[in-house]
């Protein structure tokens, strides 16, 4: 689609007065939303606004060595576009390539406008349209759309989270946050300390350890790690004997079930899961290794995200002496490295602060209704993708305990279904309405991850009863979607002055 500037400075959707759908973000969720919405509503006029220069979102932003999926790529990719590479745990650049190829194959890339950051969206109830303020290539532009779909992810793209380390200014080496990895950083033959023990740290360390002189993982406390094969014999066989799409559907369903079983086992039988994970560590680490010091977390499995280490690569790096784990606390930085509270000192040329993300809802955009700004984080979330009393706005967020795309795809399909329902009945607005019904509140993400605990009010609220209850349960949500009642707690209406014929 070509979006042409209106003489008054308003961007229009080509022939008509305004767009049908404005999608914010060209990552997994934005591409998936475009696919599902047009699959069901082929005439939809839409644009995707992306603040970066390329497709991919997370998989374009994060470029540190070893960046990869930490859930199965078969469930992280789209159900309608088979993953054809051999590996089942994919490197970041391969995921980005897959997303770019998918967007190209379905003509979605023609609808993307890069260097376009959505700053604000205001709902106009006299025309039932959103007016969206966008910083585009250094200029402020205005778009109008009947629906806005936020596929903007869940964290701040500008900066990650870095604690204030005492004395860090005295350090003469290089400090790097994985969210802003300098592509020219040469770590060959260098002593590297990685602060953190989450998914990023355990992906980075084996990759750095290939050429660095030595890599130390400095953690305050251990994390649960699970080793699984990077390649799947099951997937290989199925892809050989079955048509591509059939094989993909089976592998995807099987992996979703498998990941679900691991989660249920962890929550329902923590002692068994702890035993299994400890056994993996003991088997893969050298005899006498202090497993209970470095790999015995204080929390229950899946209170925090279970971190995948493909083919036990972290344990291998440790066994071969290329990497080590230190469980201690930072006292202060000095010129040569880090002094620990135990009194030990870690010499370092490079320190990587794998200390996490800064949570952010709706891409940091300001939302207002008829000129009155609202706080999306004060609103309850409806069926995990709309906000209480906010018309024609969708928000796409994945699961914390399963691959993101499993829910992102349900959200995209639910949006497409609602748009079709409205189109065929001539409705111009729809908003979920809680009304005066008292609703207890629970965290939308019931996971003890650092970035969630640091910012408990950064996300919209979850209720405790359907359809306001945000669940981390793919199978229940998939079932719900099948039997979804579109009019459940939903107010539909027609505007006397609709923006376009549609
Ligand atoms: C290092 C890392 C590894 C991960 N690994 C996995 C994994 O293995 N499995 C899994 O399920 N999940 C994983 N996740 C979660 C991951 O973010 C999701 O899998 C998925 O990539 C999210 O896709 P998305 O399109 O919703 O958001 P994102 O990938 O975050 O993309 C959002 C896009 O929106 C754009 N955007 C944001 N705000 C604005 C704005 N205001 N205006 C315009 N554009 C905007 C951004 O530039 C970005 O391109 C990982 C996350 C990280 C950080």
């Amino acid at each position: 689609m070509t979006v042409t500037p209106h003489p008054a400075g308003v961007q229009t959707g080509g022939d008509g007065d305004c767009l049908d759908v404005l999608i914010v973000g060209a990552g997994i969720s934005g591409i998936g939303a475009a696919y599902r919405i047009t699959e069901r509503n082929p005439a939809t006029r839409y644009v995707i606004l992306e603040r970066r220069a390329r497709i991919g979102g997370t998989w374009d932003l994060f470029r540190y060595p070893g960046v990869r999926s930490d859930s199965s790529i078969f469930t992280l990719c789209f159900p309608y576009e088979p993953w054809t590479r051999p590996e089942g745990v994919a490197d970041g650049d391969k995921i980005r390539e897959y997303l770019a190829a998918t967007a190209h194959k379905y003509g979605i890339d023609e609808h993307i406008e890069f260097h376009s950051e959505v700053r604000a969206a205001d709902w106009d109830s006299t025309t039932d349209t959103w007016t969206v303020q966008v910083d585009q290539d250094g200029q402020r532009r205005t778009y109008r759309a009947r629906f806005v779909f936020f596929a903007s992810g869940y964290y701040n793209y500008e900066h990650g989270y870095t604690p204030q380390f005492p004395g860090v200014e005295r350090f003469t080496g290089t400090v790097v946050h994985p969210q802003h990895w300098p592509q020219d950083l040469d770590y060959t033959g260098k002593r590297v300390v990685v602060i953190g023990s989450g998914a990023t740290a355990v992906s980075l360390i084996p990759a750095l350890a290939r050429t660095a002189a030595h890599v130390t993982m400095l953690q305050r406390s251990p994390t649960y790690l699970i080793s699984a094969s990077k390649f799947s014999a099951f997937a290989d066989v199925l892809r050989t004997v079955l048509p591509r799409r059939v094989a993909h559907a089976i592998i995807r369903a099987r992996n979703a079930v498998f990941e679900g079983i691991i989660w249920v086992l962890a929550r329902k039988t923590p002692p068994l899961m702890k035993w299994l994970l400890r056994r993996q560590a003991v088997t893969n680490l050298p005899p006498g290794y202090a497993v209970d010091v470095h790999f015995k977390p204080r929390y229950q499995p899946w209170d925090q995200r279970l971190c995948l280490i493909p083919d036990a690569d972290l344990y291998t790096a440790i066994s071969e002496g290329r990497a080590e784990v230190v469980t201690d606390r930072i006292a202060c930085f000095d010129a040569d490295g880090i002094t620990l509270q135990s009194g030990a000192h870690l010499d370092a040329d490079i320190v990587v602060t794998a200390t996490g993300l800064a949570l952010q809802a709706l891409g940091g955009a300001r939302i207002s209704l008829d000129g009155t700004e609202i706080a999306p984080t004060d609103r309850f979330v409806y069926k995990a993708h709309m906000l209480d009393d906010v018309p024609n706005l969708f928000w796409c967020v994945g699961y914390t305990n399963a691959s993101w795309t499993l829910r992102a795809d349900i959200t995209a399909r639910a949006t497409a279904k609602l748009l079709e329902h409205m189109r065929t009945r001539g409705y111009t607005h729809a908003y979920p309405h809680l009304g005066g019904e008292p609703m207890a509140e629970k965290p939308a993400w019931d996971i003890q991850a650092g970035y969630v605990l640091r910012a408990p009010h950064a996300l919209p609220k979850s209720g405790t009863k359907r359809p306001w209850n945000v669940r981390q349960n793919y199978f229940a949500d998939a079932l719900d979607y099948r039997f979804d009642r579109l009019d459940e707690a939903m107010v539909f209406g027609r505007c006397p002055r609709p923006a376009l014929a549609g």
Side-chain angles (χ1 to χ4, degrees):
M1 158 179 290
T2 315
V3 175
T4 48
H6 186 273
V10 174
Q11 295 278 316
T12 70
D15 310 325
D17 191 19
C18 91
L19 298 159
D20 289 321
V21 185
L22 186 150
I23 297 172
V24 185
I28 290 179
S29 304
I31 295 165
Y35 178 90
R36 288 302 193 188
I37 289 171
T38 51
E39 176 187 45
R40 203 152 183 151
N41 307 276
T44 304
R45 298 178 310 150
Y46 74 96
V47 67
I48 302 179
L49 298 181
E50 168 54 57
R51 69 197 291 281
R52 296 178 61 74
R54 304 203 305 174
I55 284 174
T58 295
W59 306 103
D60 181 43
L61 176 70
F62 282 86
R63 299 183 187 188
Y64 58 78
V67 59
R68 55 162 172 79
S69 63
D70 66 351
S71 60
S72 155
I73 189 62
F74 295 106
T75 48
L76 188 60
C77 69
F78 302 114
Y80 42 84
E81 189 56 29
W83 177 257
T84 51
R85 293 184 55 83
E87 64 276 19
V89 175
D91 291 341
D93 58 341
K94 298 293 179 288
I95 302 176
R96 205 203 77 78
E97 280 170 21
Y98 164 85
L99 293 174
T102 304
H104 185 65
K105 177 171 172 183
Y106 297 105
I108 294 167
D109 53 358
E110 291 166 21
H111 296 251
I112 305 175
E113 306 213 341
F114 294 104
H115 303 293
S116 304
E117 180 174 3
V118 171
R119 305 302 299 264
D122 180 51
W123 173 254
D124 176 0
S125 61
T126 62
T127 55
D128 277 0
T129 56
W130 286 97
T131 303
V132 180
Q133 303 297 335
V134 181
D135 281 349
Q136 196 171 60
D137 285 322
Q139 283 187 317
R140 178 57 64 98
R141 291 272 168 79
T142 305
Y143 285 72
R144 268 201 319 140
R146 298 172 58 218
F147 299 89
V148 176
F149 187 102
F150 277 90
S152 46
Y154 63 103
Y155 58 85
N156 188 319
Y157 264 69
E158 288 294 318
H159 58 82
Y161 170 72
T162 310
Q164 199 52 47
F165 295 118
V168 68
E169 66 288 347
R170 293 200 294 271
F171 181 55
T172 53
T174 308
V175 179
V176 183
H177 192 284
Q179 190 164 328
H180 306 286
W181 192 269
Q183 292 308 296
D184 58 353
L185 181 69
D186 182 11
Y187 51 88
T188 307
K190 302 273 171 62
R191 297 159 304 174
V192 186
V193 173
V194 178
I195 303 173
S197 59
T200 301
V202 303
S203 314
L204 250 173
I205 289 166
L208 294 176
R210 281 187 211 120
T211 55
H214 191 255
V215 184
T216 305
M217 175 162 123
L218 172 58
Q219 60 177 14
R220 272 193 308 204
S221 57
T223 299
Y224 284 110
L225 307 179
I226 184 164
S227 169
S229 173
K230 188 169 178 176
F231 297 90
S232 161
F234 174 78
D236 282 351
V237 172
L238 243 60
R239 291 196 288 191
T240 317
V241 298
L242 291 175
R244 224 165 51 138
R245 279 177 176 267
V246 178
H248 181 63
I250 297 173
I251 301 163
R252 196 166 190 275
R254 180 246 194 201
N255 285 16
V257 169
F258 183 72
E259 287 174 357
I261 290 173
I262 297 280
W263 187 82
V264 170
L265 271 183
R267 301 314 289 170
K268 301 292 178 201
T269 58
L272 173 64
M273 184 53 77
K274 286 181 192 176
W275 179 81
L276 286 169
L277 298 179
R278 186 177 184 282
R279 196 160 157 265
Q280 278 194 335
V282 170
T283 314
N284 287 289
L285 287 163
Y289 186 86
V291 170
D292 292 335
V293 175
H294 302 307
F295 294 109
K296 186 178 175 190
R298 296 187 210 118
Y299 57 87
Q300 300 295 336
W302 264 116
D303 279 354
Q304 298 183 18
R305 215 175 151 98
L306 193 57
C307 290
L308 174 70
I309 47 171
D311 301 315
D313 59 356
L314 179 71
Y315 294 149
T316 306
I318 294 169
S319 303
E320 292 174 353
R322 293 179 285 118
E324 74 171 316
V325 181
V326 171
T327 306
D328 206 328
R329 283 175 175 264
I330 295 173
C332 63
F333 275 64
D334 55 40
D336 306 318
I338 301 172
T339 301
L340 302 173
Q341 287 188 358
S342 64
H345 188 269
L346 298 177
D347 295 336
D349 304 304
I350 298 171
V351 172
V352 182
T353 53
T355 40
L357 305 162
L359 215 54
Q360 187 182 62
L362 303 179
R366 270 180 297 108
I367 307 295
S368 50
L369 303 177
D370 290 323
T372 304
E373 187 168 343
I374 62 156
T377 53
D378 286 347
R379 305 276 164 152
F380 279 101
V381 188
Y382 171 85
K383 295 183 183 174
H385 68 271
M386 287 182 85
L387 301 181
D388 180 25
D389 282 342
V390 181
N392 295 17
L393 182 142
F394 306 93
W395 179 48
C396 189
V397 182
Y399 290 116
T400 54
N401 64 353
S403 273
W404 185 272
T405 317
L406 292 175
R407 178 148 74 202
D409 191 51
I410 292 180
T411 293
R413 286 158 69 200
T415 302
K417 194 152 104 179
L418 186 74
L419 262 56
E420 181 189 49
H421 179 85
M422 292 173 69
R423 179 170 53 79
T424 52
R425 287 160 182 78
Y427 293 129
T428 55
H429 66 250
Y431 58 89
H433 184 58
L434 180 61
E437 192 191 337
M439 180 62 64
E441 200 184 315
K442 74 177 182 74
W445 281 8
D446 54 354
I447 190 163
Q448 309 285 311
Y451 56 87
V452 179
L453 297 176
R454 276 193 303 274
H457 304 298
L459 299 178
K461 301 186 290 191
S462 168
T464 49
K465 285 188 280 183
R466 65 160 298 130
W468 306 97
N469 179 9
V470 178
R471 286 181 303 213
Q472 302 297 329
N473 186 335
Y474 166 61
F475 299 100
D477 286 347
L479 204 65
D480 242 18
Y481 172 77
R482 284 258 166 256
F483 302 103
D484 195 21
R485 281 199 302 114
L486 283 173
D487 57 357
E488 185 182 15
M490 184 71 81
V491 179
F492 290 100
R494 295 179 185 92
C495 168
R497 287 202 297 129
L500 47 76

